[in-house]
Amino acid sequence: MADIQALTASTAEEVEQLRIKYLSKKGEVSALMNDFRSVPAEMKREMGQKLNELKSAATAKIAALRESLADGAEAAKADIDLTRTSTQMPLGTRHPLSIVKNEIFQIFGAMGFTIAEGPEIEDDWHVFSSLNFPPDHPARDMQDTFFISRSPQDILLRTHTSSVQTRTMETQRPPIRIICPGRVYRNEAISARAHCFFHQVEGLYIDRNVSFADLKQCLLYFAREMFGPDTKIRLRPSYFPFTEPSAEMDISCHICGGKGCPFCKGTGWVEILGCGMVDPNVLEACGIDSKEFTGYAFGMGVERITNLKYRVKDLRMFSENDVRFLHEFDAAH
Ligand code: PHE
């Protein structure tokens, strides 16, 4: 019989073949066991011992072979190439409104504006009364504003972030140079062109000798940084209770370059924000001497600016979080 210790096998099947060859009922070791009967009585003791040793050596050898193969399989499984690149994790993208908001921050930040924030749930004073809204102004109506409670005082969702300007003027002394980003709420039916909430960035600058020319230069710089160096601006007289004089600002349509196209309805201009010189009544309501200080303010909708930049046709896309829409802005940043 072959030397048991020298047996080798490289697959589980070969081990099994060896087991069958030596240890099965018809195997070689079993055959020797069967021959044991014919061994003379005086040799039985010695042969018996030898046979038992042989059987346990063969059993142990086969078990050892089986085990080493199993170890090999484990090792093969553990043989992971750590230098291989893993499958790529799907990355999120920045929301288009955040991209544009950050750009607005950068532009005004470069002019020395700092960011001021305030609560979305506000009282009548900070949203309306301090800002010179007359008692019968339509914004104070349920049709336009979401009221949370109406007594003992009006608590409501802010309709603009001018409330943050009031809060800042109440607590800080000029010079004040802030932009106020945030979500605002208006009671509008949701459609492609209107939503019951949107985002604003309003600005306020108060100091000695602040003039309308300063406002115009600041907004021209903003428009050119945001929409390109060839952008022109146009100010049209308007009305807001908290500014006097007030204006609305248009930029030259950056799609047709001002020639007139369906986007600007043939006018060559698109409206982007409201602005004006802070009404002295507002300064006084916040404890700032309107004889010593003047200021300007402006306010824009982030959705509107984003629409102009990226031509998003349906406002609802901004709040649906459809990743297919959001991924379109990967390239933007
Ligand atoms: N608060 C105005 C609005 O919500 C925007 C604005 C701000 C206009 C400051 C003029 C000055 O529409």
Side-chain angles (χ1 to χ4, degrees):
M1 194 163 45
D3 178 1
I4 295 272
Q5 295 309 325
L7 294 176
T8 57
S10 51
T11 65
E13 213 162 295
E14 282 174 30
V15 178
E16 181 61 8
Q17 293 297 328
L18 288 175
R19 189 193 65 77
I20 292 168
K21 185 164 183 230
Y22 295 109
L23 292 173
S24 70
K25 269 194 192 135
K26 287 182 182 153
E28 290 184 24
V29 176
S30 310
L32 288 174
M33 290 286 198
N34 289 339
D35 289 348
F36 185 65
R37 256 176 275 128
S38 57
V39 172
E42 68 273 15
M43 290 177 68
K44 266 201 155 81
R45 193 186 150 83
E46 194 189 341
M47 282 300 281
Q49 210 175 347
K50 285 233 156 80
L51 272 175
N52 279 337
E53 273 168 21
L54 177 67
K55 190 176 177 186
S56 52
T59 310
K61 178 67 191 179
I62 284 178
L65 282 174
R66 197 172 278 149
E67 208 164 297
S68 73
L69 278 179
D71 279 355
E74 270 311 297
K77 245 190 267 166
D79 189 16
I80 298 167
D81 181 358
L82 295 174
T83 62
R84 277 182 59 182
T85 37
S86 61
T87 42
Q88 207 162 18
M89 298 271 283
L91 277 182
T93 54
R94 231 183 261 284
H95 194 282
L97 293 179
S98 300
I99 295 172
V100 170
K101 192 179 69 181
N102 287 342
E103 221 172 311
I104 297 173
F105 288 174
Q106 252 178 349
I107 298 169
F108 286 105
M111 288 189 274
F113 285 80
T114 54
I115 295 169
E117 288 181 302
E120 293 184 13
I121 298 174
E122 267 291 6
D123 50 34
D124 173 277
W125 169 256
H126 290 99
V127 176
F128 298 132
S129 296
S130 64
L131 292 161
N132 205 32
F133 279 77
D136 56 351
H137 192 280
R140 293 175 181 262
D141 196 280
M142 299 275 269
Q143 304 261 301
D144 294 293
T145 300
F146 291 114
F147 287 90
I148 290 170
S149 71
R150 301 216 72 161
S151 68
Q153 57 160 334
D154 285 351
I155 302 294
L156 46 96
L157 294 179
R158 67 182 179 192
T159 57
H160 53 185
T161 58
S162 304
S163 50
V164 184
Q165 306 188 353
T166 306
R167 286 185 178 276
T168 308
M169 286 188 281
E170 282 174 343
T171 53
Q172 290 176 27
R173 295 299 93 193
I176 293 172
R177 202 199 301 252
I178 51 165
I179 47 172
C180 315
R183 185 175 284 189
V184 300
Y185 301 82
R186 292 184 193 175
N187 192 354
E188 305 231 19
I190 297 171
S191 73
R193 312 205 61 210
H195 212 295
C196 59
F197 65 78
F198 62 99
H199 300 81
Q200 277 192 326
V201 175
E202 296 212 351
L204 174 73
Y205 175 38
I206 299 176
D207 205 345
R208 293 186 178 85
N209 303 319
V210 176
S211 72
F212 201 93
D214 296 327
L215 169 63
K216 199 174 161 187
Q217 187 56 38
C218 163
L219 294 179
L220 177 65
Y221 174 78
F222 165 71
R224 289 190 170 159
E225 287 292 307
M226 188 53 113
F227 295 102
D230 299 331
T231 309
K232 296 186 193 64
I233 63 166
R234 171 173 94 169
L235 291 160
R236 285 178 289 106
S238 185
Y239 173 78
F240 299 102
F242 35 89
T243 45
E244 180 60 34
S246 303
E248 253 150 335
M249 185 173 98
D250 300 337
I251 55 164
S252 51
C253 178
H254 60 297
I255 288 162
C256 62
K259 287 190 207 79
C261 68
F263 189 78
C264 58
K265 300 193 185 77
T267 63
W269 296 95
V270 284
E271 184 190 321
I272 67 159
L273 56 79
C275 60
M277 299 305 291
V278 181
D279 192 301
N281 288 345
V282 175
L283 296 175
E284 297 294 337
C286 298
I288 293 175
D289 186 351
S290 63
K291 289 193 189 65
E292 191 178 352
F293 295 102
T294 52
Y296 64 67
F298 55 85
M300 66 188 88
V302 182
E303 279 82 350
R304 173 122 189 100
I305 306 283
T306 309
N307 277 346
L308 292 179
K309 265 193 102 110
Y310 299 113
R311 301 177 71 183
V312 178
K313 295 207 176 67
D314 190 331
L315 262 186
R316 290 169 291 196
M317 296 303 288
F318 289 127
S319 47
E320 274 168 9
N321 280 339
D322 183 332
V323 289
R324 292 167 302 180
F325 168 73
L326 297 175
H327 276 295
E328 290 193 26
F329 297 88
D330 282 2
H333 276 254

